[in-house]
Amino acid sequence: MKIFSYLLVLQQVYCFAPIALTRRHCSQLNAEYDFDVAIIGCGVGGHGAALHARGQGLKTAVFSGRDVGGTCVNRGCVPSKALLAASGRVRDMKDASHLESLGINVEGEVTYDRQAVADHAKNLANTVKGNLENSLIGLDVSVIEGRGILAGPNKIKDDQSGKIYTAKNIILAPGSIPFVPPGVTVDEKTVYTSDGALNLDFVPEWVAIIGSGYIGLEFSDVYTALGSEVTFIEALPMLMPTFDREIAKQAERMLIRPRAIDYRLGVFASEVTPGEQGKKPCTIKMIDANTKEHVETIEVDAVMVATGRVPNTKDMGLESMNIETNRGFVAVDEKMRVKTSADGEVIDNLYCIGDANGVMMLAHAASAQGISAVENICGREHVVNHEAVPAACFTHPEIAMVGLTEEQAVERAEKEGWTLGKSQGNFRANSKALAEGEGAGIAKVLFNKETEKIVGVHIIGIHAADLIQECANAVEQGTTVRELSMMVHTHPTLCEVLDEAFKGAVGMSSH
Amino acid sequence: MPALSSTMKEGKLSEWLTSEGSPISSGDSIATIESDKADMDLEAFADGTLLKILVEEGETAKVGEPIAVILEEGEEEVELMKLIEGGGGTEPVVETQEPASSSSPPPVSASTEPQTPHTKVYMPALSSTMTSGKVVSWEVDESGTVGSGEPLLTVESDKADMEVEHLGDDGFLARICVEEGASCDVGEVVAVIVENEEDVAKWDGWMPGASVSAPSPSPASPAASKPAAAAKAPSASSPAPSGGRVIASPLAKKVAKDKNIDLSQVTGTGPEGRITVSDVEGFTAGSPPKKKSDTPPVSSWKPANGVVAATPMARALAKKSKIDLSTISGTGQFGRVTEADVKSALGESPKKKKVLPGVPAVELPSGFVKYSGMQSAVSTNMEATLTVPIFRVSSTIEMNSFNKLYASVKPNGVTLTVLISKAVSIAIQKHPIMNSRHDSNGGIYYNSDINIANAVALDGGLITPVMKNTNEKSLEELGEEWRDLVSKAREGKLKPDEFNSGTFAITNLGMFGVTAFDAILPPNTGTILALGATTEVIRPCEECVGGMRKVKEMTVTVTCDHRPIYGSDAAIFLKTLKEVMENPEKWGVK
């Protein structure tokens, strides 16, 4: 599954321009246009752009396409966190030996109400969606219900009313939809993408997950906690192909091997036929990824398709501006300005952010790109440093990362002629982690030995997603491991795992 | 054991990720090592087979100590095993051994598998409940030709007789391992087919299981699963209980086929028990015989050809415990075999027992555990005693004087066992019949030596070290001999002559407070003496003040073979033994 694709950004990037104490609003309204900024799409990216645009005093409209909150809030990160939170507790409470080591006994069987867990996810999504919509209305953003369609320079058509709106600047933020490989029939009941999986219509005895990226991994965490057995089907010859290899190995040891999971590597699910719950299983035919020969057929209760996402850029009028996409992805420059094609011209006053440009398919990356686009609209040049954007996978325990994988770093160091340093902190040696009985995991800091700047950090262990921020900030600010090693970390906290790694990087001992 | 950090001195082997005999490729994780800082996977850096695990899970080894031996391709397993047993403890970690000198010819014996192109034929599972099958007839003779798709043999399963076809390439039936009329378990080798006629003779006398690496009936061996899977397909449509034919109307057959219903499961209501459409439809709509009630209705789904209907964990467990999945009936969705099914097939209880609040959980062992070599020997010996007519006689012996003697000789290294053995041998000298045994030639066999065998309980077994010529040796000599025997027994180093040359056996449970018991006679022995605990009792005593006295007593019971030894023999022997033990001053020892 493709998650990252980095823009080749400048090594030293712009941070926010020196902040003028009295930052001027950049209202540009003139009678010519209905809005200063119109945003197509109301996911996390569009929402972030809208809030920042209003903050700059720009007259702003958002075409929500009847999907305020977008994928993340309604069908992605947010409801999946609800499922992970509930199932994670089930897992904890069923882990008698772990509880016993803390002196706790759970008497009787730990049970859950599937529908109530599913409702928790649904309610959470609705709450977050409501908050998001209210914040737009509260800030006086015009929320237009229809889907926005480009109708030429500065023009957007509302597909619901047919009305044409004009805007000086247009930001495309249409997001993405799950990718379904050819041969796979999705009925969203027994064969489903993440969209259907979040409904948790039933807990299958055996579920196959096609793709072992973030989404597949998180759902394997949910399913195994609720009692399902999981089979991963991965086209590449390794599990979690986008992860740092060392982290992937650790993840395999913590999240795959001890659980009711097996896997097939190097195979395509060439034909997936939906079943009928309780009556007919789903059939998956697998072929070898290289030879294309049939290798195995399995019959499972449910199939989750987690093979990545494709841009939702069809039928949005891109042709009216002569924009050519690459498999649906809209090409942009580093300021998020749309280009007619990968090596085409920059189109003025047209921006594309989020999953649709494929630079980094993460909600917070989309939001950062939206803010950056608005900065550029206001004439303050800004470029997002994607190597400082952290990412996390919310399994138990979590995996988090920022910057390059070790494999990428080795390559980069060789190409650019610097020495790669590596230092590791261990959860096993951390008091807080041991207090929790969660000593498994590592934090790995990759840095340039000459400049002592961080090029990548990878953490697997309890609360990794909350630990990565310090590292992301350090990458963004260019803080060196030497500076970090002298910064005081709270004792006893999990942050000391990083403290150990920072200190180790400069030859100090932390304990 | 690798050093995983600069401070690591030793590592704990937390988990083996592969098992002995498993193939390994370079780069595979083979074990998880717990160091002082983190758990790490240990990777193999050579292809081969994991021959021997030297450090078990949970054990600790110093950095640099070998933890396993990997057999590289082309290496002689036997050579390497010798090396391991010879204490090759100083070799490096995942050590590899260069191929043994090719000049040594491959050992030719019945236990070696001839290296010729061949296919093994395994006993197929003809039904989901079939665990063993009987070979009704061989359709091809040994050294006869076998064509692909031709019937090879007929097998009687628990449900029906079925012809088994040869599925591989054309060849010659080199070896029939299971004769007509004989049975074997599903997955066992029943025959060997070779490609070339000249190889037939090489398989003469070969038997499966005799070779060093016995062919396992696990699903890992592809040939094993092939006939099973193939044989299943016809079973879905044709067989019927008790060898009869399924009689069904054509439409019923078609409907059954469309709905994937096994007609042999349907009860016919038509003429002569014929299955009608309504029978088939009734079967779908209504009540197929359910195996389990707490799951959603299990449909009569039959997995497609080649599909293994088992969950991932069921597969993994079956592979690990080398059990053939096709022999297990599934209770999961769509009749799928679940982990719990495999566990119950293995005799393990699927669920943890409920525990009363406040009572610590006790993990009770459950299920089948194979006898060790020693336990098997005990079992065989005990069964053999069932043909021996025996009787038992008991007597009570006053121990006051005996205990005084024991206290006096104990400092010289004389144990109670030795002292009693000595007393017994003195008594035997007066009644040699007690030292005899039944001879199958129809007579009494008198032993000229008095060799006393004393039963010693070992962890998971029992053995009877023998003190020889106890009547001729001093107590000190016997004491030393016994010490030596016991330490050898604990180390498992007793020679056969040191545990099976007894002429008279003694067993003692007195130390557990047992007042009296009788023992089973060991093979080739005429008598065994069982000793209870010494207890203090009050006995009437006319000369004593108050008319009674406190004495120490021990109850002994002899079990004798009634063919050479009679009840009066035993009774008189016990009387003598009593006299000897109650009057140790007469022994001639201090």
Side-chain angles (χ1 to χ4, degrees):
Chain A
M1 186 172 117
K2 186 177 179 225
I3 295 284
F4 294 102
S5 65
Y6 290 102
L7 256 191
L8 279 175
V9 289
L10 300 169
Q11 192 59 25
Q12 281 296 321
V13 292
Y14 293 90
C15 302
F16 281 96
I19 300 167
L21 281 175
T22 52
R23 175 178 262 177
R24 278 186 305 109
H25 281 188
C26 64
S27 181
Q28 304 168 336
L29 190 63
N30 59 41
E32 229 183 300
Y33 301 109
D34 299 332
F35 302 104
D36 293 327
V37 179
I39 301 160
I40 298 179
C42 193
V44 172
H47 177 251
L51 293 195
H52 193 53
R54 282 304 298 139
Q56 303 310 307
L58 298 176
K59 190 172 183 209
T60 308
V62 174
F63 291 79
S64 75
R66 295 166 294 279
D67 188 25
V68 173
T71 298
C72 171
V73 171
N74 298 298
R75 298 172 298 281
C77 346
V78 171
S80 67
K81 294 304 101 45
L83 295 186
L84 281 159
S87 61
R89 276 178 172 74
V90 174
R91 186 190 297 285
D92 283 349
M93 294 186 69
K94 280 188 173 173
D95 189 354
S97 64
H98 183 217
L99 289 175
E100 213 167 275
S101 70
L102 301 173
I104 302 167
N105 269 319
V106 175
E107 277 159 21
E109 193 92 347
V110 176
T111 58
Y112 61 87
D113 177 347
R114 179 202 52 80
Q115 190 56 53
V117 174
D119 290 347
H120 171 50
K122 192 99 218 143
N123 294 340
L124 175 69
N126 287 337
T127 307
V128 175
K129 179 185 178 176
N131 292 345
L132 206 138
E133 193 159 21
N134 290 340
S135 70
L136 290 175
I137 293 164
L139 286 170
D140 206 14
V141 175
S142 306
V143 179
I144 296 157
E145 252 201 12
R147 185 167 188 244
I149 293 169
L150 269 184
N154 309 103
K155 284 194 191 112
I156 304 169
K157 186 172 134 189
D158 172 10
D159 78 338
Q160 199 166 302
S161 64
K163 195 178 164 194
I164 306 263
Y165 293 90
T166 59
K168 174 125 193 254
N169 299 286
I170 298 173
I171 300 177
L172 307 178
S176 62
I177 52 173
F179 169 65
V180 177
V184 177
T185 309
V186 167
D187 67 349
E188 291 295 355
K189 287 192 185 102
T190 58
V191 178
Y192 41 72
T193 63
S194 53
D195 293 2
L198 288 162
N199 295 336
L200 200 69
D201 285 328
F202 69 113
V203 177
E205 178 180 278
W206 182 9
V207 57
I209 300 181
I210 306 176
S212 63
Y214 289 61
I215 299 175
L217 206 57
E218 285 187 2
F219 272 91
S220 78
D221 198 89
V222 171
Y223 280 124
T224 52
L226 298 184
S228 301
E229 295 186 15
V230 173
T231 294
F232 272 118
I233 298 173
E234 173 59 56
L236 289 165
M238 61 195 122
L239 282 174
M240 300 166 267
T242 56
F243 287 45
D244 179 278
R245 283 298 84 206
E246 190 180 1
I247 295 295
K249 281 225 142 161
Q250 292 271 340
E252 192 188 333
R253 210 160 42 65
M254 287 181 230
L255 304 172
I256 308 278
R257 253 189 251 146
R259 298 185 178 175
I261 300 177
D262 71 352
Y263 47 80
R264 311 284 187 281
L265 302 179
V267 294
F268 291 129
S270 59
E271 196 184 320
V272 176
T273 318
E276 207 175 326
Q277 200 195 320
K279 288 184 186 147
K280 190 164 87 95
C282 312
T283 305
I284 306 175
K285 284 190 183 158
M286 288 178 263
I287 57 168
D288 188 281
N290 297 318
T291 65
K292 307 284 186 273
E293 270 169 33
H294 175 260
V295 286
E296 194 185 355
T297 300
I298 56 174
E299 289 174 354
V300 298
D301 297 317
V303 183
M304 177 173 182
V305 184
T307 43
R309 303 182 63 86
V310 287
N312 181 25
T313 50
K314 255 192 199 159
D315 305 322
M316 68 177 302
L318 295 178
E319 60 290 342
S320 70
M321 304 275 287
N322 296 320
I323 300 163
E324 274 178 40
T325 67
N326 173 20
R327 292 174 297 125
F329 289 109
V330 176
V332 292
D333 71 356
E334 70 272 23
K335 292 179 189 169
M336 298 297 135
R337 294 183 298 182
V338 172
K339 300 198 286 182
T340 51
S341 66
D343 28 47
E345 298 289 306
V346 167
I347 301 170
D348 283 334
N349 302 327
L350 184 62
Y351 298 79
C352 180
I353 61 164
D355 288 0
N357 66 29
V359 176
M360 194 180 219
M361 295 174 84
L362 291 168
H364 48 270
S367 181
Q369 291 173 0
I371 291 165
S372 182
V374 170
E375 283 293 301
N376 287 314
I377 285 168
C378 291
R380 297 189 292 268
E381 284 203 351
H382 183 264
V383 171
V384 175
N385 176 10
H386 287 96
E387 289 189 1
V389 177
C393 183
F394 294 84
T395 43
H396 296 85
E398 295 169 341
I399 305 169
M401 66 218 72
V402 65
L404 307 179
T405 65
E406 189 169 343
E407 292 71 32
Q408 291 167 333
V410 166
E411 207 175 296
R412 171 95 49 105
E414 200 172 313
K415 200 167 131 205
E416 295 175 358
W418 44 270
T419 322
L420 178 65
K422 176 180 163 182
S423 180
Q424 184 175 307
N426 301 287
F427 284 76
R428 169 77 49 79
N430 181 278
S431 315
K432 183 79 184 302
L434 291 179
E436 297 281 352
E438 303 269 2
I442 58 165
K444 162 165 102 168
V445 175
L446 303 168
F447 58 97
N448 179 325
K449 275 194 174 169
E450 280 85 45
T451 64
E452 296 187 337
K453 283 186 181 170
I454 293 175
V455 294
V457 179
H458 300 267
I459 310 173
I460 180 166
I462 180 174
H463 296 308
D466 295 320
L467 293 178
I468 198 68
Q469 194 59 50
E470 175 181 16
C471 309
N473 293 356
V475 174
E476 175 70 42
Q477 291 293 318
T479 317
T480 65
V481 283
R482 194 166 297 280
E483 287 164 337
L484 286 161
S485 72
M486 297 303 286
M487 292 179 185
V488 181
H489 289 71
T490 323
H491 179 75
T493 63
L494 297 170
C495 303
E496 290 173 294
V497 173
L498 289 168
D499 189 41
E500 182 193 351
F502 296 144
K503 284 189 162 65
V506 294
M508 294 162 71
S509 289
S510 59
H511 50 72
Chain B
M1 175 62 67
L4 302 177
S5 75
S6 55
T7 55
M8 176 172 168
K9 296 274 187 298
E10 58 175 28
K12 184 172 148 196
L13 217 141
S14 50
E15 192 185 4
W16 278 104
L17 305 174
T18 180
S19 55
E20 284 183 10
S22 301
I24 292 168
S25 348
S26 179
D28 281 1
S29 296
I30 57 170
T32 305
I33 309 278
E34 191 179 314
S35 77
D36 51 343
K37 289 201 174 119
D39 287 348
M40 282 185 74
D41 285 353
L42 177 64
E43 290 176 5
F45 47 79
D47 294 350
T49 309
L50 185 66
L51 183 59
K52 178 85 183 151
I53 284 172
L54 303 174
V55 176
E56 292 296 331
E57 287 182 4
E59 288 180 0
T60 302
K62 293 222 158 44
V63 168
E65 278 183 3
I67 57 169
V69 180
I70 290 176
L71 181 74
E72 270 193 276
E73 232 164 275
E75 283 177 343
E76 289 285 338
E77 185 172 328
V78 184
E79 290 294 313
L80 217 49
M81 283 309 283
K82 262 189 225 151
L83 216 103
I84 300 163
E85 274 147 22
T90 51
E91 243 85 6
V93 189
V94 185
E95 55 192 291
T96 53
Q97 200 61 35
E98 284 312 306
S101 68
S102 52
S103 62
S104 64
V108 182
S109 77
S111 68
T112 326
E113 202 176 289
Q115 296 302 310
T116 62
H118 67 272
T119 314
K120 293 200 186 86
V121 182
Y122 299 88
M123 175 60 73
L126 301 176
S127 73
S128 58
T129 54
M130 174 173 169
T131 55
S132 69
K134 183 171 146 192
V135 176
V136 176
S137 63
W138 282 99
E139 313 302 332
V140 181
D141 292 328
E142 248 180 32
S143 78
T145 55
V146 191
S148 181
E150 282 176 19
L152 188 60
L153 74 161
T154 306
V155 170
E156 182 186 337
S157 77
D158 54 343
K159 295 212 173 95
D161 286 2
M162 282 188 68
E163 258 180 16
V164 177
E165 289 173 5
H166 174 51
L167 296 164
D169 296 330
D170 295 358
F172 298 87
L173 184 58
R175 175 82 186 139
I176 287 174
C177 307
V178 179
E179 293 298 335
E180 286 182 5
S183 299
C184 74
D185 287 348
V186 167
E188 279 184 23
V189 179
V190 294
V192 178
I193 291 169
V194 295
E195 272 179 31
N196 310 313
E197 194 170 11
E198 59 269 28
D199 292 332
V200 168
K202 293 180 188 162
W203 287 85
D204 190 25
W206 179 86
M207 281 308 283
S211 65
V212 189
S213 55
S216 78
S218 78
S221 98
S225 56
K226 259 192 215 156
K232 249 191 210 161
S235 79
S237 57
S238 59
S242 63
R245 232 159 36 87
V246 170
I247 305 169
S249 74
L251 186 56
K253 280 183 183 167
K254 186 182 178 302
V255 173
K257 198 181 165 199
D258 289 346
K259 299 196 172 184
N260 266 311
I261 293 171
D262 182 354
L263 277 176
S264 66
Q265 306 280 318
V266 182
T267 315
T269 59
E272 290 167 2
R274 178 182 298 155
I275 298 164
T276 64
V277 179
S278 59
D279 292 334
V280 176
E281 278 169 350
F283 185 81
T284 1
S287 47
K290 274 179 201 159
K291 286 171 188 154
K292 211 178 162 197
S293 54
D294 58 339
T295 47
V298 177
S299 76
S300 52
W301 181 261
K302 282 275 181 303
N305 224 351
V307 171
V308 181
T311 69
M313 290 305 101
R315 281 187 194 218
L317 182 61
K319 194 178 170 194
K320 201 175 165 192
S321 10
K322 301 206 155 73
I323 186 169
D324 187 352
L325 276 172
S326 62
T327 63
I328 302 171
S329 61
T331 61
Q333 283 279 319
F334 311 114
R336 188 180 290 148
V337 176
T338 64
E339 192 180 13
D341 295 335
V342 180
K343 278 186 180 164
S344 72
L346 289 169
E348 292 169 29
S349 59
K351 267 188 189 168
K352 226 178 156 182
K353 276 184 202 157
K354 292 222 166 152
V355 183
L356 287 174
V359 180
V362 179
E363 279 292 330
L364 291 173
S366 74
F368 176 79
V369 179
K370 202 167 171 53
Y371 282 142
S372 66
M374 183 187 283
Q375 287 168 328
S376 298
V378 170
S379 163
T380 311
N381 286 345
M382 289 300 105
E383 278 170 10
T385 62
L386 291 175
T387 59
V388 179
I390 52 153
F391 67 91
R392 308 170 183 96
V393 179
S394 301
S395 176
T396 302
I397 298 171
E398 196 186 303
M399 296 292 282
N400 292 30
S401 310
F402 188 86
N403 281 357
K404 267 183 210 147
L405 170 66
Y406 175 51
S408 74
V409 296
K410 200 176 171 184
N412 308 337
V414 178
T415 64
L416 202 58
T417 306
V418 169
L419 200 56
I420 291 172
S421 299
K422 184 71 185 174
V424 166
S425 57
I426 293 169
I428 287 174
Q429 280 179 316
K430 293 175 182 167
H431 309 283
I433 186 72
M434 302 306 289
N435 199 39
S436 72
R437 63 172 166 86
H438 168 77
D439 190 293
S440 55
N441 293 317
I444 302 172
Y445 184 91
Y446 286 97
N447 291 299
S448 55
D449 295 340
I450 299 176
N451 297 341
I452 306 287
N454 275 278
V456 173
L458 295 176
D459 189 18
L462 169 77
I463 200 152
T464 52
V466 176
M467 280 181 278
K468 289 183 185 159
N469 302 313
T470 43
N471 53 328
E472 293 165 9
K473 291 180 186 161
S474 72
L475 281 174
E476 284 72 22
E477 278 172 329
L478 290 172
E480 201 169 311
E481 185 175 346
W482 181 245
R483 230 183 0 260
D484 185 41
L485 287 168
V486 170
S487 69
K488 277 186 186 169
R490 301 235 184 276
E491 291 163 21
K493 286 181 180 166
L494 282 178
K495 296 192 188 86
D497 183 53
E498 289 171 322
F499 61 80
N500 64 15
S501 59
T503 58
F504 185 104
I506 299 178
T507 173
N508 184 359
L509 293 179
M511 57 283 209
F512 302 116
V514 165
T515 51
F517 74 107
D518 66 79
I520 295 182
L521 202 55
N524 290 324
T525 314
T527 313
I528 183 164
L529 177 73
L531 309 174
T534 299
T535 51
E536 283 200 319
V537 292
I538 304 293
R539 290 287 176 223
C541 168
E542 285 178 15
E543 313 94 74
C544 305
V545 182
M548 49 189 143
R549 66 186 188 112
K550 193 165 76 174
V551 293
K552 291 193 169 107
E553 285 182 358
M554 174 170 78
T555 301
V556 298
T557 304
V558 286
T559 303
C560 302
D561 184 341
H562 207 319
R563 291 168 297 186
I565 304 165
Y566 297 174
S568 55
D569 296 331
I572 300 168
F573 167 75
L574 284 184
K575 186 164 178 283
T576 305
L577 181 64
K578 188 175 161 76
E579 275 170 22
V580 169
M581 289 182 70
E582 289 179 359
N583 303 286
E585 67 281 359
K586 291 184 185 166
W587 292 17
V589 296
K590 307 167 238 188

